[in-house]
Amino acid sequence: MEFKAFIEITRPHNCALAGVVGVLGSIVAVGHLPDALTTALVFLVVTLGCAGGNTINDYFDYEIDKINRPDRPLPRGAMGRRTAIYYSLLLFAVGLVFAYMINVYAFLLALVAYAAMFLYAWKLKPLPFVGNLVVASLTGATPLYGAVSVEHLGLAGYLAVCAFLVNVAREVIKDIEDIEGDLAKGARTLPIVWGKRNAAYLGAAFAVLTVVASFLPITAGVGLGYYAMVPVDLIILYAAYLILRSQEREAAHSSQKLLKVSIFLAVMAFLVAALV
């Protein structure tokens, strides 16, 4: 067993990014940084939840990762599967303790989100489109969690809608990238059931819907602050173009990575809009 596997299996960069998005969600909601304790707790709850979710996902994806991600800790033997499931439950438990310290609504939302992560990894991931919707909902809930923690919605509601839509697009396109391993396990993801081309059309459609939804803050009187979202919209549209042009693994990888980057950039754009 490798000690670094306990860090690696959580995908710490992704988790830290999710934690930052949670904090930025609270800033977008109230227009300023919350107190230090609330900020730290929001970051920890989101980060630990993401870490637990990634770990439990690797536990259930062991056979698939032997094909798609053989360098990850479990398939290469750096951590035992039983250790991984206990580790994920510990991460969830600590996250819930921190969530309880914020307020009851933050605790309940964290509880629902953590349960959804476990259920997704256990049963829902192989189901066509259902798993995609669950992951997208969890991502959309990240900035919303920051808003719940400060008990104010603000622009975080619009951000949650955009995050949900762009993540539906990314999850569908990621399934196109991972189709080889999913086929080997017998999973019934959207590209397998519908075909890669049809899945690409759906992913691109949700990308376009994200761009349309990004105009919603204008109805809240954001004004010039909206223009920070324009470069993000262009990135999202380019990602849609890439997957429509080709459904090969390399194109799908580039497209879903661009959409992943656009999530964080969108949060920053909404932050600028909220502060301006």
Side-chain angles (χ1 to χ4, degrees), residues 112-204:
V112 170
Y114 289 6
M117 289 178 201
F118 190 95
L119 188 60
Y120 163 79
W122 180 31
K123 290 290 186 181
L124 300 179
K125 187 175 183 179
L127 299 180
F129 202 45
V130 175
N132 303 136
L133 292 175
V134 172
V135 173
S137 297
L138 288 168
T139 307
T142 302
L144 197 60
Y145 188 80
V148 168
S149 298
V150 295
E151 300 183 31
H152 189 78
L153 189 58
L155 292 179
Y158 298 113
L159 177 57
V161 171
C162 290
F164 168 76
L165 292 171
V166 76
N167 266 277
V168 174
R170 179 176 180 262
E171 286 297 313
V172 170
I173 293 169
K174 194 170 183 298
D175 280 347
I176 297 175
E177 179 188 1
D178 291 342
I179 193 170
E180 181 182 346
D182 291 336
L183 275 169
K185 191 184 177 184
R188 301 183 71 252
T189 60
L190 210 58
I192 294 172
V193 175
W194 274 15
K196 292 194 290 185
R197 185 68 178 173
N198 288 333
Y201 281 129
L202 183 64

Side-chain angles (χ1 to χ4, degrees), residues 12-269:
H13 294 93
N14 289 348
C15 293
L17 177 59
V20 169
V21 170
V23 171
L24 292 177
S26 65
I27 299 174
V28 168
V30 296
H32 59 81
L33 185 68
D35 64 89
L37 179 59
T38 300
T39 299
L41 289 173
V42 169
F43 178 82
L44 288 170
V45 172
V46 175
T47 300
L48 289 167
C50 178
N54 285 337
T55 302
I56 198 65
N57 192 68
D58 278 12
Y59 171 82
F60 286 110
D61 271 2
Y62 178 69
E63 296 297 332
I64 288 180
D65 284 346
K66 283 182 178 179
I67 300 169
N68 286 341
R69 307 284 192 277
D71 57 327
R72 285 185 173 173
L74 296 188
R76 77 166 191 263
M79 177 187 288
R81 291 188 72 200
R82 178 172 293 186
T83 301
I85 195 168
Y86 288 141
Y87 181 44
S88 68
L89 293 175
L90 175 64
L91 291 168
F92 285 144
V94 175
L96 287 175
V97 170
F98 286 137
Y100 186 77
M101 295 171 62
I102 301 175
N103 60 52
V104 65
Y105 303 109
F107 173 78
L108 291 174
L109 182 54
L111 183 62
V112 170
Y114 289 6
M117 289 178 201
F118 190 95
L119 188 60
Y120 163 79
W122 180 31
K123 290 290 186 181
L124 300 179
K125 187 175 183 179
L127 299 180
F129 202 45
V130 175
N132 303 136
L133 292 175
V134 172
V135 173
S137 297
L138 288 168
T139 307
T142 302
L144 197 60
Y145 188 80
V148 168
S149 298
V150 295
E151 300 183 31
H152 189 78
L153 189 58
L155 292 179
Y158 298 113
L159 177 57
V161 171
C162 290
F164 168 76
L165 292 171
V166 76
N167 266 277
V168 174
R170 179 176 180 262
E171 286 297 313
V172 170
I173 293 169
K174 194 170 183 298
D175 280 347
I176 297 175
E177 179 188 1
D178 291 342
I179 193 170
E180 181 182 346
D182 291 336
L183 275 169
K185 191 184 177 184
R188 301 183 71 252
T189 60
L190 210 58
I192 294 172
V193 175
W194 274 15
K196 292 194 290 185
R197 185 68 178 173
N198 288 333
Y201 281 129
L202 183 64
F206 271 93
V208 172
L209 283 174
T210 305
V211 173
V212 173
S214 71
F215 285 86
L216 289 175
I218 295 178
T219 64
V222 169
L224 293 177
Y226 165 76
Y227 289 104
M229 191 66 191
V230 172
V232 186
D233 285 342
L234 293 176
I235 292 172
I236 294 171
L237 290 174
Y238 182 64
Y241 163 75
L242 287 180
I243 197 60
L244 289 176
R245 185 179 65 177
S246 170
Q247 292 80 55
E248 295 303 314
R249 181 182 176 91
E250 295 77 12
H253 178 75
S254 298
S255 179
Q256 66 97 354
K257 283 294 183 183
L258 282 173
L259 291 176
K260 183 178 180 179
V261 170
S262 75
I263 297 166
F264 182 72
L265 293 178
V267 175
M268 300 306 296

